[in-house]
Amino acid sequence: MEKLDFIGEFLMKHLCVEVKSVNGAYYEAILTDVTDTAIVVTFENMLAVMGGQKDFETKNYPFAEARLPPLEGPTVNVPSYAKGQEIEAKCRSDYPESIEWRRATIEEIFIDGEWFSVKHFKHIKLESGLEMKSAIQFVHVDEIRLPNPNPALTKDDFYKFEIPVPVDSRDL
């Protein structure tokens, strides 16, 4: 199990992208391939859900619907947030296996800036089409961030090459 944990951690750190769904939210995903018109991803928690199986579901997203996640770590200043500020918040997902980031606005700040009431909008699928609904959610400071400044990906962001692997080494 340690090997799977290491592989999952490596993939999330180095091959993570965010893809936009029809509901307007961005989902964290692992880049698995690049084509001429799109990227191919699997959702980040699918490795755990599938128990490390090699055959897991992938999905294509046009470059325009994908972006890199924002920088994280000690070089990024931790912001102080204010009421009315536009942010991105981790919200309850339509897909339990995925982390969903939505544009939101801070409505209230509680407990010394540790908890926030945020308002976000969500596309709801109806028979007549999509409808926008607002929702208020309480989130911890660890579940909000400044809006992702990264632009949509393009084909030029990638350089694809293949490395031949001997048949006897492929199952390692």
Side-chain angles (χ1 to χ4, degrees):
M1 193 60 159
E2 285 181 28
K3 184 177 179 182
L4 179 61
D5 292 341
F6 170 76
I7 291 169
E9 184 178 317
F10 175 84
L11 291 174
M12 282 309 299
K13 185 173 183 179
H14 299 288
L15 300 174
C16 186
V17 293
E18 295 178 354
V19 292
K20 189 175 184 180
S21 178
V22 293
N23 68 11
Y26 279 90
Y27 293 87
E28 292 181 358
I30 298 171
L31 180 69
T32 60
D33 199 1
V34 178
T35 69
D36 288 337
T37 59
I39 62 170
V40 182
V41 301
T42 186
F43 291 100
E44 54 118 356
N45 287 334
M46 288 308 288
L47 288 176
V49 171
M50 298 301 289
Q53 294 178 20
K54 293 180 183 175
D55 298 322
F56 45 83
E57 184 179 342
T58 60
K59 189 169 180 183
N60 292 12
Y61 282 87
F63 290 117
E65 295 176 8
R67 65 187 185 187
L68 293 175
L71 290 176
E72 293 180 5
T75 59
V76 178
N77 293 333
V78 176
S80 58
Y81 296 104
K83 186 175 177 178
Q85 182 177 3
E86 186 174 303
I87 48 109
E88 288 183 352
K90 259 187 210 180
C91 296
R92 289 181 201 94
S93 176
D94 294 337
Y95 310 102
E97 71 275 2
S98 301
I99 295 171
E100 176 178 290
W101 288 99
R102 290 192 172 277
R103 288 267 181 181
T105 304
I106 296 174
E107 296 288 305
E108 295 291 335
I109 302 173
F110 303 98
I111 311 174
D112 296 326
E114 289 288 316
W115 288 92
F116 298 82
S117 166
V118 299
K119 182 178 185 178
H120 61 86
F121 290 91
K122 188 174 196 172
H123 291 92
I124 306 294
K125 209 182 261 190
L126 303 172
E127 287 183 27
S128 59
L130 291 176
E131 179 181 310
M132 289 281 283
K133 292 217 174 198
S134 67
I136 300 225
Q137 183 173 334
F138 290 95
V139 294
H140 188 263
V141 68
D142 295 337
E143 297 173 329
I144 65 173
R145 67 185 188 193
L146 294 175
N148 186 339
N150 294 325
L153 296 174
T154 68
K155 185 177 190 301
D156 295 336
D157 291 327
F158 299 95
Y159 177 75
K160 182 177 174 178
F161 62 95
E162 294 186 20
I163 300 172
V165 177
V167 174
D168 60 339
S169 298
R170 291 182 186 169
D171 289 333
L172 295 177

